[in-house]
Amino acid sequence: MSRPCTILLVHNHYQIPGGEDAVVTNERRLLEAHGHRVVPYFRHNDELKAFSPMRKLLFAAESLFSLRTYRDIKRLIRAEKIDIVHVHNTLAMVTPAVYYAARACGVPVVQTVHNFRMLCPAGSFFREGRVCEDCLHGGMRCAVRRACYHESRLQTLLCVLNSHLHRHIYKHLHFIFLTEFNRDKHFLWNRAGKAPVFEPTRVHIKPNFVFSAPAAAERPREKRFVYAGRLEPIKGVLRLLEAWKLLGENAPELLLCGTGPLEEECRAVIEEGGLTQVKMLGFVPNEQLRQLLATSAAFILPSQVYEGFPMTVTEAYAAGTPVLGSAHGNVGSLVRRCGGMTFRHDDAADIAATIRRFLQEGAAVNHAATLQMTSAEENYKMLAEIYEKAMGDK
């Protein structure tokens, strides 16, 4: 950008922290390091815990359009002389009201799309243990019928209404998709509808990034694999343990970093299967995780879903560590571009075979591709160009 500008950074935190929060923190730090002023507008879904039953009932309507957000954003834009609004998540306290407030003030909006919630209320294209694109091809009524979001028809209906009621304003926003795969899925809307939902000239690709990683080349690597993420069905962690059973006595060390609803089940599978090579580390602080990645043979992610853009994959590549991951969706496309090996996400035997092949042959990391994807400076250049384009369109 030709001059430092003032950015209103908008993010709605979920009750469970995740990768989106890390992206917001990283981008704020990056922008401030380059002389920009960042004004945060953060809301948190923990606010719901303080609501009375009656207030929660009224919130159903408020989650479609928050008057508080609308007023707050207009006030901040005027008081802080905001040049551009960058939105990450609006569910459920912020709501799309942020778009209308910015538009009323004549300020451009950039929206980073972290998941598939505009196309699938669950945000993951995953149902009953498999990939499901029914909403994408047949409409979202089926999601309401199946209560796909939090197993609640009402909450699912609210997600669907949010998607449909505010679709007309999307063509005025600039969208950042993390990968071509994500963009192409969302562009199916453009082909299906009479009018484009997304304006093609306002669509951009910009991956996530990390700041400097440990110097991997100077560190010896152990014969071990690292999984880092929530212990939940969509991450495929039970299938990973099944693969380790198939590897038998020759299985390498596997570190499971994370917590989640499958924690006790994982512990039981490890104990009953005699998987002495598998160690559950629980929550691992980011700095410690990055050190583990930098000294391990590979990062492994048997995700059952398409994923958005896992920060763990970014951090692995930043440490020069190859990734073994599911062949479908974003994980597969990232591995094919940056280095590693892929396997069938739903086949423990194929995961085990891929690990054996990796131990025999190894896999090189494409450092040119990973630098472009993970470098903070490269990422800033992309973000600055997007902001410049958005402000020029104003």
Side-chain angles (χ1 to χ4, degrees), residues 243-298:
W244 244 253
K245 279 186 189 177
L246 295 174
L247 289 168
E249 294 179 356
N250 296 321
E253 184 179 22
L254 171 64
L255 304 182
L256 297 182
C257 305
T259 61
L262 292 181
E263 192 168 350
E264 290 307 314
E265 190 171 348
C266 287
R267 206 178 302 279
V269 170
I270 292 167
E271 187 175 339
E272 292 166 10
L275 302 179
T276 56
Q277 312 95 324
V278 181
K279 295 180 175 61
M280 295 182 65
L281 302 186
F283 171 76
V284 175
N286 184 259
E287 190 57 38
Q288 183 184 340
L289 174 62
R290 292 168 74 180
Q291 295 292 339
L292 285 174
L293 289 170
T295 55
S296 298

Side-chain angles (χ1 to χ4, degrees), residues 128-342:
E128 297 176 356
R130 62 178 179 84
V131 170
C132 171
E133 293 189 355
D134 290 356
C135 286
L136 181 59
H137 301 293
M140 294 188 184
R141 287 189 297 273
C142 58
V144 178
R145 189 168 63 251
R146 295 166 181 158
C148 288
Y149 182 66
H150 288 184
E151 299 181 352
S152 163
R153 285 194 175 91
L154 175 59
Q155 291 188 61
T156 306
L157 176 62
L158 291 172
C159 283
V160 172
L161 288 174
N162 251 319
S163 178
H164 284 276
L165 289 174
H166 304 295
R167 191 178 298 185
H168 66 93
I169 202 169
Y170 293 164
K171 64 178 179 290
H172 300 295
L173 314 181
H174 280 255
F175 283 90
I176 295 176
F177 291 101
L178 305 178
T179 66
E180 289 84 355
F181 181 87
N182 292 356
R183 176 201 60 196
D184 293 346
K185 285 291 180 189
H186 283 82
F187 259 55
L188 290 174
W189 262 6
N190 276 18
R191 293 195 286 274
K194 294 179 181 178
V197 179
F198 305 104
E199 185 61 45
T201 59
R202 293 169 176 247
V203 169
H204 316 274
I205 305 292
K206 186 191 77 66
N208 293 333
F209 72 97
V210 293
F211 289 99
S212 58
E218 301 172 4
R219 297 167 182 268
R221 288 187 180 268
E222 303 290 335
K223 185 183 172 182
R224 69 176 175 224
F225 292 73
V226 175
Y227 165 87
R230 293 262 301 159
L231 303 182
E232 57 184 342
I234 65 173
K235 296 296 184 180
V237 65
L238 292 178
R239 193 151 279 141
L240 185 60
L241 293 179
E242 189 180 341
W244 244 253
K245 279 186 189 177
L246 295 174
L247 289 168
E249 294 179 356
N250 296 321
E253 184 179 22
L254 171 64
L255 304 182
L256 297 182
C257 305
T259 61
L262 292 181
E263 192 168 350
E264 290 307 314
E265 190 171 348
C266 287
R267 206 178 302 279
V269 170
I270 292 167
E271 187 175 339
E272 292 166 10
L275 302 179
T276 56
Q277 312 95 324
V278 181
K279 295 180 175 61
M280 295 182 65
L281 302 186
F283 171 76
V284 175
N286 184 259
E287 190 57 38
Q288 183 184 340
L289 174 62
R290 292 168 74 180
Q291 295 292 339
L292 285 174
L293 289 170
T295 55
S296 298
F299 174 68
I300 189 162
L301 183 58
S303 185
Q304 303 300 290
V305 297
Y306 290 151
E307 293 285 355
F309 196 111
M311 283 298 295
T312 48
V313 172
T314 311
E315 290 177 335
Y317 282 132
T321 303
V323 176
L324 275 61
S326 302
H328 69 170
N330 282 307
V331 174
S333 64
L334 289 169
V335 171
R336 286 186 287 274
R337 180 194 305 174
C338 297
M341 293 182 178
T342 61

